[in-house]
Amino acid sequence: MQEFLMKNLGYIAGFFTTIAFLPQVIKVWRTKSTKDISIWMFLIFTTGVLLWLIYGLLIINYSLIIANTITLILSISILIAKILFK
């Protein structure tokens, strides 16, 4: 069990933190409402995710690369919705 966790903990954590955004993305695009979403929070968050992705690329850590690539796409989709649905 310990060996499994050592090899896969990053993927498991990345999976959960990434899918946590799916309900918000789906809701935003279905309702076309972003009035309660802070653009500054998502700009700062998206910047952080981009930096984590770059870090993952630099150290060649696939769990960081995969999770942050998907999270970056989801976060950018919310930012785009925030701009489009004003």
Side-chain angles (χ1 to χ4, degrees), residues 17-33:
T17 57
T18 298
I19 66 163
F21 274 88
L22 279 177
Q24 187 67 59
V25 171
I26 292 167
K27 182 178 180 181
V28 163
W29 285 96
R30 277 189 184 159
T31 65
K32 304 215 182 315
S33 174

Side-chain angles (χ1 to χ4, degrees), residues 37-52:
I37 294 176
S38 166
I39 194 164
W40 288 109
M41 178 272 185
F42 265 92
L43 284 170
I44 294 166
F45 176 77
T46 302
T47 302
V49 170
L50 177 62
L51 292 172
W52 274 114

